[in-house]
Amino acid sequence: SNSSRNRIVNLCLDYGLERIQKTVYLGDLERKLKAHLVGELRELFRKEMERGMRVFEFPENGERKIS
């Protein structure tokens, strides 16, 4: 829904991420901050994450992790 998307937009922007596509955000976050963001997303969007919403992490070493 639009309200869910708006909550994601605001949450990601609050954490300093840049919106690079409608549903893609990019930015560098310290480990603790990243954990808090993912935790908030999981808490707010539990049902969406169960249906396939994913958080992709690209560490500095280039390996990809999916939460």
Side-chain angles (χ1 to χ4, degrees), residues 4 13 25 27 52:
S4 292
L13 293 177
Y25 298 85

PDB file of all heavy atoms in Angstrom, residues 4 13 25 27 52:
ATOM      1  N   SER A   4       2.408   2.035   3.436  1.00  0.00           N
ATOM      2  CA  SER A   4       3.567   1.186   3.743  1.00  0.00           C
ATOM      3  C   SER A   4       4.800   1.687   3.013  1.00  0.00           C
ATOM      4  O   SER A   4       5.883   1.783   3.593  1.00  0.00           O
ATOM      5  CB  SER A   4       3.302  -0.264   3.344  1.00  0.00           C
ATOM      6  OG  SER A   4       2.313  -0.829   4.152  1.00  0.00           O
ATOM      7  N   LEU A  13      15.156   7.216   4.591  1.00  0.00           N
ATOM      8  CA  LEU A  13      15.713   8.566   4.504  1.00  0.00           C
ATOM      9  C   LEU A  13      16.171   9.050   5.878  1.00  0.00           C
ATOM     10  O   LEU A  13      17.191   9.722   5.985  1.00  0.00           O
ATOM     11  CB  LEU A  13      14.700   9.531   3.893  1.00  0.00           C
ATOM     12  CG  LEU A  13      14.347   9.286   2.420  1.00  0.00           C
ATOM     13  CD1 LEU A  13      13.272  10.262   1.963  1.00  0.00           C
ATOM     14  CD2 LEU A  13      15.572   9.354   1.531  1.00  0.00           C
ATOM     15  N   TYR A  25      17.205   1.589  -2.046  1.00  0.00           N
ATOM     16  CA  TYR A  25      17.895   2.622  -1.263  1.00  0.00           C
ATOM     17  C   TYR A  25      19.352   2.217  -1.109  1.00  0.00           C
ATOM     18  O   TYR A  25      19.667   1.039  -0.996  1.00  0.00           O
ATOM     19  CB  TYR A  25      17.238   2.759   0.115  1.00  0.00           C
ATOM     20  CG  TYR A  25      15.804   3.187  -0.001  1.00  0.00           C
ATOM     21  CD1 TYR A  25      14.805   2.249  -0.211  1.00  0.00           C
ATOM     22  CD2 TYR A  25      15.461   4.523   0.034  1.00  0.00           C
ATOM     23  CE1 TYR A  25      13.486   2.629  -0.367  1.00  0.00           C
ATOM     24  CE2 TYR A  25      14.145   4.918  -0.119  1.00  0.00           C
ATOM     25  CZ  TYR A  25      13.160   3.966  -0.326  1.00  0.00           C
ATOM     26  OH  TYR A  25      11.867   4.344  -0.495  1.00  0.00           O
ATOM     27  N   GLY A  27      23.249   3.353   0.749  1.00  0.00           N
ATOM     28  CA  GLY A  27      23.974   4.186   1.699  1.00  0.00           C
ATOM     29  C   GLY A  27      24.899   3.347   2.551  1.00  0.00           C
ATOM     30  O   GLY A  27      24.812   2.121   2.583  1.00  0.00           O
ATOM     31  N   GLY A  52       8.078 -11.842   0.847  1.00  0.00           N
ATOM     32  CA  GLY A  52       9.184 -11.721  -0.084  1.00  0.00           C
ATOM     33  C   GLY A  52       9.987 -10.438  -0.037  1.00  0.00           C
ATOM     34  O   GLY A  52      10.956 -10.306  -0.763  1.00  0.00           O
TER      35      GLY A  52
END
